[in-house]
Amino acid sequence: RLMDRVGRVPVLAAGFLLGAIGATLTSLGIRFASGWIAIPGLVLIGAAGATAQLARAAAGDMYPPARRARGISYVMFGAVAGAIIGPFVFAGGVFRRSGMSLESLPVAWLTGAGMLLVALVLVINIRPDPKRIAEALEFASAGAASSGEFTPLRQLIARPGVIPAMLAGIVSYSIMVSVMNLTGYIVVQHHHHPPQVIFPIIGAHVLGMFLLMPAVGWIADRVGRPRTILSGLLLIAASTAGLMWFESVVPIAILLFALGLGWNFSFVAATTQLADLAAPWERGKLLGFNDLVASLTGATFVLLGGYVLSDFGVTAMALSAALIPLLPVIVMVSARRRVPAAISQPAS
């Protein structure tokens, strides 16, 4: 809501500032062995991460609908840089001499605070605010200035195409995050592999999530959002079902790569679809609500998945994770009305 009222840059900048404060508090909490200091710091870091995810809204602002998926994918592709820089800075730098000891952890969190301040400086130098670019594109497309009137969230959700896109994004995110979090337990406790093999498996998963993202954005723009979403959901279902049959490290890594790639397809396309269906002064609110529901659902799926895994085993967990993505597939396939390409453009 704040992004829609004051612009993307001030909110993103505030998020990174909160993250830097949170990382500093966490460092101090570790240094003085105080949970009262560290836990609020972790809360602020979580708030910063959630805010930074809404950079997708700013990315969607800067491109017309025909190229919007690529714009969103470029910004999300930045996570690859984080995946590369993070281990280099921490494993190769902060933890290299003393290991992950109590003495090195405060330094690590202070380093993270410095990186968040760098992000803050980058964000506050963005000119013009992406929301202004989106408004200019909207006005040029409509042929006249739009009013920018406030639209209640319930009306946004009721627009044709919003519910299927939200359902696809929420389910793909929730399945991805729950399976990713439970993979370590599966690999070590159920398949009896050494703990160190978890890192290359999760590394393969992260590569699947982000490495091909620009190509996925191009595909979503070329073949359309619904087809890209369906492809991603089916890939998620197939990769999670494979966990029922494979136990060795390499096949599990391949399955986790496919899971990340499926999330890549469905989440990028679903986000783009939501951005298409919202005006610039509505986009932050709609994507923010989508993120809220997706995060809560993901946390619920992690807890339920852990219960199913502990009491019923890998097969039950994998089968459940494979069946759930089929729900939005059924909803989308059975939808009778064609989803409009963008709110500002008539269906062709």
Side-chain angles (χ1 to χ4, degrees), residues 298-315:
T300 302
F301 278 18
V302 171
L303 295 174
L304 292 177
Y307 169 76
V308 172
L309 186 60
S310 298
D311 284 22
F312 301 100
V314 176
T315 299

Side-chain angles (χ1 to χ4, degrees), residues 78 136 324:
I324 292 173

